[in-house]
Amino acid sequence: MATKTASTAAFDWAFVPARPGWPRRMARLARQHPAGLFGLIVLVLFVVLGLFGEQLAPYPADELSTGTPLQGPSLSHPFGLNQLGQDVFSRIVSGARISFIIAFWAVFLGAGSGAFLGILGGYFGRWIDYIVQRSGEAFAAFPGLVLFLMLRTAFGPNLKTIIISIGIGALFGGNRILRGQTIIERNQIYVEAARAVGCSEWRIFMRHVLPNVLPLVVVIMSGAIGAAILAESGLAFLGLGPTEASWGRDMSGTNLSIARTGYWHVVVFPGIAISLVVLGSNLLGDALRDIWDPRLRK
């Protein structure tokens, strides 16, 4: 009987399929989530341009008279020239740096910290939750533009002021949603079962509650990327943005007036760049939510 049991166990283990390697798993995820793959490609390109855009641009972003002003797209200037004779393609490639810096700080310092505070307050409650929620309510009393103007007066019109104002907005942007989701997870049966077997509150928080809330954190942080880029573009459109080349600046002021006279390429290509990055971040966030959410795994 013992021999039969041993042989049966050996037979079962022999036919257990091996786990596919990571290239096959990545290829399967790409087939299952083509929109997420598109978003990943867009964001990787955005990061590369943000880090090395000034070196990859065929012309300096602020160089004047690289050709005939307001010339349309051509082989030497794929996106045409603006009214100052600056190459639009070079300005888009170089302008990705400003959007990348603002999005990086807003997401990883603003949205990331705010997400952790919201989850922490929702799980532990008491004075932690009170401080986080009252701080969010105090921030909601100040419109974003008013807060930016106050910081601009205090610190001056520079890139640091824009980063601080957008980062504060991202800090309290989604913590209420995460707080509510954490409260729901905190009252689930599996949390009570973990307490019953003697798990500490910190272990339950890190090993059980946080993984179930993490997909929502990914969606909020991916949305923060697009929101940060749109916020910088809106400030630049109003003439309050950075003085360096940026996508929002190329869509504002004189450029917008010139585009109405028929020179569409001056503002269309910067607008496409903004739209692609915002769309890519949202698509990637939705795909990561579907992949990482334990409730959606098959």
Side-chain angles (χ1 to χ4, degrees):
M1 186 68 179
T3 305
K4 183 177 180 180
T5 303
S7 62
T8 303
F11 175 81
D12 292 338
W13 279 105
F15 284 90
V16 172
R19 186 182 182 185
W22 68 267
R24 292 186 59 184
R25 296 200 302 269
M26 295 299 103
R28 182 178 61 188
L29 290 176
R31 291 193 302 269
Q32 294 174 348
H33 305 278
L37 177 62
F38 171 77
L40 177 62
I41 294 173
V42 170
L43 285 188
V44 169
L45 179 61
F46 172 61
V47 172
V48 172
L49 293 180
L51 294 175
F52 309 104
E54 294 182 352
Q55 290 78 21
L56 297 175
Y59 301 94
D62 296 327
E63 182 178 351
L64 304 176
S65 301
T66 59
T68 305
L70 297 177
Q71 176 184 337
S74 61
L75 293 178
S76 57
H77 303 283
F79 293 170
L81 302 173
N82 61 13
Q83 74 278 11
L84 299 177
Q86 297 170 329
D87 184 59
V88 176
F89 177 76
S90 299
R91 290 186 63 83
I92 291 176
V93 172
S94 300
R97 172 181 169 272
I98 299 296
S99 299
F100 172 76
I101 293 175
I102 293 176
F104 176 83
W105 289 108
V107 169
F108 290 99
L109 289 185
S113 302
F116 182 75
L117 290 176
I119 298 173
L120 203 65
Y123 183 78
F124 292 101
R126 299 180 181 177
W127 62 270
I128 299 177
D129 186 41
Y130 181 83
I131 293 176
V132 173
Q133 296 308 313
R134 299 297 82 77
S135 299
E137 292 172 359
F139 170 78
F142 292 90
L145 184 59
V146 175
L147 176 64
F148 169 74
L149 294 176
M150 293 173 58
L151 294 174
R152 192 170 187 264
T153 304
F155 299 104
N158 49 43
L159 184 60
K160 183 186 298 184
T161 303
I162 300 176
I163 293 175
I164 293 174
S165 60
I166 296 178
I168 293 176
L171 182 65
F172 298 104
N175 59 9
R176 282 183 175 271
I177 300 174
L178 292 170
R179 173 182 178 270
Q181 185 64 32
T182 304
I183 292 175
I184 294 174
E185 295 295 332
R186 182 186 63 185
N187 296 321
Q188 295 293 331
I189 298 177
Y190 70 87
V191 175
E192 298 295 333
R195 288 197 183 100
V197 299
C199 292
S200 64
E201 292 296 328
W202 188 253
R203 179 179 176 84
I204 296 173
F205 174 74
M206 295 298 296
R207 296 293 300 273
H208 300 286
V209 175
L210 190 60
N212 286 279
V213 185
L214 185 62
L216 186 58
V217 175
V218 173
V219 174
I220 291 177
M221 293 183 69
S222 64
I225 296 176
I229 295 174
L230 290 176
E232 182 274 327
S233 301
L235 292 174
F237 184 83
L238 296 175
L240 302 174
T243 57
E244 297 89 345
S246 67
W247 296 341
R249 187 182 180 188
D250 287 344
M251 295 182 62
S252 63
T254 308
N255 291 334
L256 186 61
S257 301
I258 292 174
R260 293 174 180 173
T261 62
Y263 300 101
W264 54 270
H265 62 276
V266 177
V267 298
V268 166
F269 291 114
I272 291 176
I274 296 173
S275 301
L276 279 177
V277 174
V278 174
L279 176 64
S281 63
N282 291 330
L283 291 178
L284 180 61
D286 291 342
L288 292 178
R289 177 201 57 193
D290 297 339
I291 294 171
W292 287 348
D293 195 339
R295 291 163 293 192
L296 297 179
R297 294 176 185 169
K298 297 182 181 179

